[in-house]
Amino acid sequence: MSRKKADLIILNASEMLTLAGGEVPRREVAMSDLGVVSGGALAVKGSRIEAAGSSREILDSWHSKQAIDASGCVVMPGFVDPHTHPVFAGSRENEFEMRIRGKTYEEIAAAGGGILNSVARLRATPTEALYASARARLDLFLEYGTTTVEAKSGYGLSVDDEMRSLQVLKDLARSHPVEIAPTLLGAHKVPPEFAGRRKEYVSLVAGVMIPIAAKTNLAEYCDVFCERGAFTVSESRTILKAAKNAGLGIRIHADQFSASGGSKLAAELGAASADHLEAVSAAGIRMLAGSGAVAVLLPGSSFFLDQSRFAPARKLIEAGVPVALATDFNPGSSMTHSMQIILTLACLRLKMTPAEAITAATINAAAAIGRHDRIGSIEAGKKADIIILSVPNHRYIPYHFGGNHVRTVIKKGKVVIRR
Amino acid sequence: MSRKKADLIILNASEMLTLAGGEVPRREVAMSDLGVVSGGALAVKGSRIEAAGSSREILDSWHSKQAIDASGCVVMPGFVDPHTHPVFAGSRENEFEMRIRGKTYEEIAAAGGGILNSVARLRATPTEALYASARARLDLFLEYGTTTVEAKSGYGLSVDDEMRSLQVLKDLARSHPVEIAPTLLGAHKVPPEFAGRRKEYVSLVAGVMIPIAAKTNLAEYCDVFCERGAFTVSESRTILKAAKNAGLGIRIHADQFSASGGSKLAAELGAASADHLEAVSAAGIRMLAGSGAVAVLLPGSSFFLDQSRFAPARKLIEAGVPVALATDFNPGSSMTHSMQIILTLACLRLKMTPAEAITAATINAAAAIGRHDRIGSIEAGKKADIIILSVPNHRYIPYHFGGNHVRTVIKKGKVVIRR
């Protein structure tokens, strides 16, 4: 039998985690099924996976000039990070120290720090500098194995500054290996110049930002920070309905500090995801189950804010809500780019098993941003977004923490990181 | 004025953290004083720091063919990690998953897992393989900026296997850039073959292991795991007195799960350090203050065991106990090599400020292993153990977490890591 020519084959993985088959997003028992192939291998042609199986099967059917021996390693889909805020200026390590000294995140925000601190800085920063800093952050994501991110605006809070932020993401999407699902988060916070005129700001987001972002294809999703101190359920509904009408997908920062009703709104409106959920109620969990929304959990944020309350991952999983994980990368409440430390936090604090956490960081995360047909698993026909980790098995990934297990990153069939 | 010739100069640090001057180990207010020099620089000759100051001062007095521009970076002493267990075989990710599923660390240990699991594996592993795995771990320490570690035996628990473990450390100390302070931890746990014969095992440690380790210079310190399920205060006293008599320094795993009296014993015997202290009593803190012992806190262990109780760092600092930080790197209760994630944990969970945490990870950690006269600060005459971090200021180090900020590592004047 003549063998077919591939552009790249990867062989001899200790464990290849395919995440293949079954219902997507995965729920409950299926979250534990990583589709492990011992001695796994795959063949890539162009940007796509052509075949995946045992090393014997792949070598019987494929040949390639470029072959990577993954002996002693885990081969898996690149991490998908479905909740990040990578477009900001400066950093907020001073507020980090203020929190250690006893101030709460909400007290710092009320005193003009927090999100509005980043807003003032972004507005004063030229677009080229925003682009350069966001690009450096994408480099870090990639180095730690993340091949696709959802990325939000939300530190501009004016039509110009929000569109500028989204344009930075669009330019990066064209020029950087990391794939981006861009989200308009004009409703991150009411900006200071609209103090006392909340209704007008909601109208600006719904009536101006959303139509522009949709028409110019600058955003694929619209998100709202539905929380006390940010936007009410009613305001969030107005904005997200406008987004739906404009053809954008929708997501919600829901029930982070209080059971504000964000998860119920997500279910009501058919959101792609309800994110955070640290304070979600039993009723909120019931509403989410079967709504089609993916619960995107952000343990990095609970950790970084040193909250005792983490999202009730086990209750969500048991209720049949599909669960994904994300970094929530942002300068105020979760300053990490690493999905690997998020997996550790998910295991330790959310009591997710390593297998559940990996499912949540790949195929379920892809589903949370509507890309499960293209990425998030190792299956013929999918994009070849693959990472090779220097670990003996998948449990080792969250177990040995605080470092970077990534040896090789492949995005759309190209080797983009070799360490 | 003619300039003197250096082998290496480092210039233009955004912040050079000298940790210079004052009482060592540092206590209370002094722990916040990093001796920051803006635009800092230093000159190295051979393995030693010749001078440190402003870039202008250094350039006025020194020239060198090798110069490193540290613009935009923090320059500081290499991390000193004063509590690690790097000599073991295999890993224990299965137990990590068992804990997530609800078993406690002590339940796993009682069922034959835990330390005794590692003991069985080490005994079955040839010395060359032990050496190779420990060497790979030291590589990781160095990559993350740790230039000196205290390193314990303790997974052998027979005379031969403990000496074999210490010999691995001695061989590594000769051949690897990371400097090692070797510690005999024969009293980590009573091995299974001594079940019902605890007294005989204590005699073996005190009467055989300690004299051999001391006479052959295989150990510099002796440590005891003084805890329920391990060794009583009385047994610990017997062992540590024998160590003192043999000329070894002493350290104690004290008050980790219960206020067992380990900290009082540390004070009584003049230990170099009392380590863990999650459960230390107010009386224990009073005993430690002024005893000369350094409190070595291990927040990675509390984090990894998902305990709600962390060591009372603020109370220890306020009582005038000098505090150091360490990874507790080991396969069961703290699988991390990174002092950087330990700094983040110290800030978030121990409520240490970034400056206090950095002091605890450098000069105070050096004091905990009796090396404060040679390492732990940037001062003329000290060893040139220096790290350059790609961060704008020292607060940023714990703030941006889950990665590796290290750009360059210099050990005894030689550049050993460049990233």
Side-chain angles (χ1 to χ4, degrees), chain B residues 145-190:
Chain B
T146 298
T147 47
T148 300
V149 297
E150 185 265 7
K152 306 175 197 296
S153 66
Y155 296 112
L157 308 191
S158 71
V159 176
D160 278 2
D161 290 305
E162 286 295 302
M163 298 311 134
R164 223 156 55 89
S165 302
L166 291 172
Q167 188 63 49
V168 163
L169 291 171
K170 191 166 194 167
D171 293 344
L172 285 168
R174 288 199 190 106
S175 64
H176 196 280
V178 171
E179 182 174 339
I180 298 173
T183 296
L184 170 66
L185 180 58
H188 201 186
K189 187 96 182 167
V190 176

Side-chain angles (χ1 to χ4, degrees), chain A residues 145-309:
Chain A
T146 297
T147 46
T148 301
V149 297
E150 185 267 6
K152 304 174 199 295
S153 66
Y155 296 112
L157 307 191
S158 71
V159 176
D160 277 4
D161 290 305
E162 285 296 301
M163 297 311 133
R164 223 156 54 90
S165 302
L166 291 172
Q167 187 63 50
V168 163
L169 291 171
K170 190 165 194 166
D171 293 346
L172 284 167
R174 288 200 190 104
S175 64
H176 197 280
V178 171
E179 181 175 339
I180 298 173
T183 296
L184 170 67
L185 181 57
H188 202 186
K189 187 97 181 166
V190 175
E193 66 273 19
F194 280 85
R197 299 187 294 134
R198 303 181 58 84
K199 218 176 150 180
E200 286 177 48
Y201 187 69
V202 170
S203 296
L204 183 73
V205 175
V208 184
M209 290 185 194
I210 286 171
I212 295 178
K215 198 183 303 179
T216 55
N217 281 317
L218 281 172
E220 193 175 323
Y221 289 97
C222 179
D223 192 351
V224 173
F225 190 13
C226 179
E227 185 59 62
R228 70 176 181 228
F231 293 87
T232 66
V233 169
S234 163
E235 290 165 343
S236 301
R237 186 183 285 112
T238 300
I239 291 164
L240 293 173
K241 276 189 164 179
K244 245 180 124 165
N245 288 338
L248 298 178
I250 62 181
R251 350 183 46 87
I252 310 185
H253 280 68
D255 302 333
Q256 178 179 11
F257 299 113
S258 56
S260 61
S263 53
K264 294 180 202 170
L265 185 63
E268 174 194 323
L269 297 178
S273 71
D275 302 39
H276 274 297
L277 302 175
E278 289 87 340
V280 68
S281 65
I285 293 176
R286 279 196 302 275
M287 296 282 285
L288 284 176
S291 77
V294 175
V296 176
L297 307 186
L298 310 170
S301 163
S302 305
F303 172 70
F304 199 66
L305 298 179
D306 197 23
Q307 296 177 313
S308 53
R309 183 158 61 184

Side-chain angles (χ1 to χ4, degrees), chain A residues 331-354:
Chain A
S333 61
S334 188
M335 190 65 176
T336 188
H337 54 276
S338 169
M339 284 298 281
Q340 295 172 66
I341 192 75
I342 296 300
L343 293 188
T344 299
L345 288 165
C347 291
L348 292 174
R349 306 310 310 273
L350 304 182
K351 302 301 171 199
M352 292 172 72
T353 63

Side-chain angles (χ1 to χ4, degrees), chain A residues 93 97 331 393 395 399 401, chain B residues 93 97 331 336 393 395 399:
Chain A
E93 59 273 25
E97 179 156 340
N393 58 64
R395 286 182 183 86
Y399 162 72
F401 71 99
Chain B
E93 60 274 24
E97 179 156 341
T336 188
N393 58 67
R395 287 182 181 87
Y399 161 73

Side-chain angles (χ1 to χ4, degrees), chain B residues 58-83:
Chain B
I58 294 300
L59 284 173
D60 279 351
S61 306
W62 297 89
H63 68 99
S64 172
K65 280 184 195 162
Q66 191 185 8
I68 297 176
D69 181 2
S71 297
C73 292
V74 164
V75 170
M76 59 176 282
F79 292 118
V80 177
D81 187 344
H83 185 131

Side-chain angles (χ1 to χ4, degrees), chain A residues 96-97 99-100 299-307 332-333 345, chain B residues 299 303 310 341-354 357 398-399 401:
Chain A
F96 175 76
E97 179 156 340
R99 285 196 288 106
I100 293 163
S301 163
S302 305
F303 172 70
F304 199 66
L305 298 179
D306 197 23
Q307 296 177 313
S333 61
L345 288 165
Chain B
F303 171 70
F310 280 68
I341 192 76
I342 296 300
L343 292 190
T344 299
L345 288 165
C347 290
L348 292 175
R349 306 309 312 270
L350 304 183
K351 301 301 170 198
M352 293 172 72
T353 63
Y399 161 73
F401 72 100

